[in-house]
Amino acid sequence: MDAKKFTPLAFLASLGAGGIAVMPFVLMQYTLDHGAGLITRAQLWSMDLSSYQVLYYYLLEFVMILFTLIHFALTIIFTIKLVRWMKTDSFSSLIKDPLRNTGILAPLISYIMSMNVMIGPLRYFLPVLSGNFAALFFPAMIFWSLFFILVLFTEIRLLEISFKNGFDINKINFGWLLHPFLLGMLTVVGTGIAAMASDNTIANTAAFMSLISGSMGMFLLFVKMVILFKSHFQSPGLPEKHFLPSFLIVIPNITLYAISGFRLGHFLERTYGFELGAYFYFVVGLAFAFEIWYMLFGFSLLIDYFRNNHFKEFYVTQWGLICPLVAFAVLGSFAHRIVFNNIVLYGILVMFMLLTILVYFELLSKHIKCSRSSHTTLSCAV
């Protein structure tokens, strides 16, 4: 497929931008002592900061602003293209193909990420949101509930197609994990509402709905990972090069379900008076420990890909590299507060953020070149 033709996987670019926008916010949230609740800009700048710290936090704020703008700009652009594309035969063809229809989930994941951007960076900068945060949970619950219905309908519909139509299981790839990824993104927002809402009805409703989406997502994650690894062990060599970036998609899945478990624990503490200190260490620590070795394992498999292909070619699946980097740094920020409060870990998280930004702009540059010119020296394909 020509790179100029739209694919819903392009939303991985807006999703990645939203993730990068959230990274500095999460880093500040879990590495600074700012009192109860989510950190605000007023809280940060009321601290006694050195001149170096002032410069550093200004840079973090710049990253949040820049990537928030990129996220919403790309979301609007891709949504317009998505609506047009859904009127073509390509849409129905994609939906009916169990090996390819996971691509339609990327827009939904990106849209739900927009809620995280609003709760994080936008609320951080806008006093009108941070000052009235409690009043926003009712409309947020309505909005999230509508997405909950849409996501469950979409997931069940795609699973129905897979069961009815059948497919060659030897041709599956790690992009298949967009199913639990979407459900995890939905769940992490729902558990966030449950953990922070002051209204017990809203909190309990969000928590139970999150159990539905979360249990479905974790079931699919487990089943699909078993099938994927079994399939890859039975196949000679690595998957095709345009599927290789998706190998790391396991990491954002783990991050989303770990944070969901973390937030569900806070919901139980606040609403029912549970004391779950060791639980948080176990959930965050075990998930982050898993991600460390899996990240090393994943990049060891991608060495030849980066050496021979990545910088010479562009295909939209390369955007799948951003979310794992974002997810690792985000969960690492949680781990910094709960598991391993150490300057070395903090430095690693900052380096990961810088790496993610560099990779993002490298991919964005290639994406733009392939979209605008047929004479680029890049090898462009979807």
Side-chain angles (χ1 to χ4, degrees), residues 74-148:
L74 291 181
T75 298
I76 293 170
I77 292 170
F78 291 149
T79 298
I80 294 172
K81 293 184 177 182
L82 176 67
V83 171
R84 294 173 180 170
W85 174 79
M86 290 178 68
K87 298 176 182 178
T88 68
D89 293 337
S90 298
F91 171 67
S92 57
S93 174
L94 180 77
I95 292 296
K96 294 175 182 177
D97 185 352
L99 292 173
R100 297 170 51 237
N101 60 18
T102 53
I104 198 61
L105 303 179
L108 293 175
I109 301 173
S110 181
Y111 292 146
I112 299 174
M113 172 57 81
S114 297
M115 293 190 70
N116 289 315
V117 174
M118 293 182 68
I119 293 171
L122 281 183
R123 186 209 51 82
Y124 169 85
F125 283 108
L126 300 178
V128 67
L129 294 180
S130 57
N132 299 282
F133 194 49
L136 298 176
F137 282 103
F138 180 69
M141 182 65 187
I142 294 175
F143 186 76
W144 179 76
S145 297
L146 294 175
F147 261 100
F148 180 90

Side-chain angles (χ1 to χ4, degrees), residues 221 225 229 247-255 282-298 328 331:
L221 178 61
M225 282 186 65
F229 274 97
F247 186 82
L248 295 174
I249 201 173
V250 173
I251 290 175
N253 274 278
I254 297 299
T255 291
F282 178 78
V283 169
V284 175
L286 183 61
F288 191 57
F290 174 90
E291 289 188 4
I292 290 173
W293 73 258
Y294 191 90
M295 181 73 79
L296 294 172
F297 171 56
F328 183 84
L331 189 62

Side-chain angles (χ1 to χ4, degrees), residues 30-294:
Y30 291 103
T31 60
L32 291 174
D33 293 323
H34 55 81
L38 299 177
I39 190 171
T40 64
R41 192 167 193 266
Q43 288 175 326
L44 172 66
W45 295 113
S46 66
M47 299 177 185
D48 184 19
L49 303 174
S50 69
S51 56
Y52 292 107
Q53 288 176 313
V54 168
L55 176 60
Y56 171 68
Y57 287 115
Y58 270 134
L59 289 174
L60 291 186
E61 289 187 339
F62 174 74
V63 170
M64 283 195 285
I65 293 171
L66 176 62
F67 280 93
T68 295
L69 294 174
I70 293 175
H71 168 72
F72 285 113
L74 291 181
T75 298
I76 293 170
I77 292 170
F78 291 149
T79 298
I80 294 172
K81 293 184 177 182
L82 176 67
V83 171
R84 294 173 180 170
W85 174 79
M86 290 178 68
K87 298 176 182 178
T88 68
D89 293 337
S90 298
F91 171 67
S92 57
S93 174
L94 180 77
I95 292 296
K96 294 175 182 177
D97 185 352
L99 292 173
R100 297 170 51 237
N101 60 18
T102 53
I104 198 61
L105 303 179
L108 293 175
I109 301 173
S110 181
Y111 292 146
I112 299 174
M113 172 57 81
S114 297
M115 293 190 70
N116 289 315
V117 174
M118 293 182 68
I119 293 171
L122 281 183
R123 186 209 51 82
Y124 169 85
F125 283 108
L126 300 178
V128 67
L129 294 180
S130 57
N132 299 282
F133 194 49
L136 298 176
F137 282 103
F138 180 69
M141 182 65 187
I142 294 175
F143 186 76
W144 179 76
S145 297
L146 294 175
F147 261 100
F148 180 90
I149 295 170
L150 175 61
V151 168
L152 256 63
F153 172 81
T154 303
E155 287 286 356
I156 291 173
R157 174 60 179 151
L158 295 184
L159 289 173
E160 177 190 356
I161 291 172
S162 297
F163 271 84
K164 287 184 176 180
N165 294 357
F167 55 94
D168 185 353
I169 201 168
N170 293 318
K171 294 182 179 180
I172 62 174
N173 59 79
F174 277 83
W176 223 31
L177 294 182
L178 284 177
H179 284 284
F181 192 168
L182 172 60
L183 289 162
M185 186 68 78
L186 182 71
T187 303
V188 84
V189 175
T191 52
I193 295 173
M196 293 184 288
S198 56
D199 186 301
N200 282 345
T201 300
I202 293 177
N204 277 289
T205 303
F208 183 72
M209 291 171 67
S210 297
L211 289 178
I212 296 173
S213 59
S215 61
M216 182 180 184
M218 287 189 290
F219 171 77
L220 290 177
L221 178 61
F222 175 76
V223 170
K224 288 175 181 289
M225 282 186 65
V226 170
I227 295 173
L228 281 164
F229 274 97
K230 181 181 178 182
S231 173
H232 282 297
F233 284 137
Q234 291 177 340
S235 302
L238 292 173
E240 295 179 38
K241 59 186 178 181
H242 56 281
F243 290 136
L244 286 175
S246 67
F247 186 82
L248 295 174
I249 201 173
V250 173
I251 290 175
N253 274 278
I254 297 299
T255 291
L256 290 171
Y257 290 106
I259 295 176
S260 296
F262 173 85
R263 290 176 171 177
L264 190 62
H266 276 295
F267 159 76
L268 293 173
E269 283 191 330
R270 189 182 60 80
T271 306
Y272 294 104
F274 286 34
E275 294 184 7
L276 302 173
Y279 163 82
F280 296 113
Y281 182 95
F282 178 78
V283 169
V284 175
L286 183 61
F288 191 57
F290 174 90
E291 289 188 4
I292 290 173
W293 73 258
Y294 191 90

Side-chain angles (χ1 to χ4, degrees), residues 11-20 23 106 109-110 113 178 181 185 245 248-253 255-256 291 295 317-331 352 356 359-360 363:
F11 274 87
L12 293 175
S14 58
L15 172 64
I20 296 175
M23 287 173 80
I109 301 173
S110 181
M113 172 57 81
L178 284 177
F181 192 168
M185 186 68 78
L248 295 174
I249 201 173
V250 173
I251 290 175
N253 274 278
T255 291
L256 290 171
E291 289 188 4
M295 181 73 79
T317 52
Q318 288 181 343
W319 282 113
L321 291 169
I322 298 297
C323 284
L325 297 175
V326 169
F328 183 84
V330 166
L331 189 62
F352 255 85
T356 307
V359 174
Y360 188 91
L363 291 175

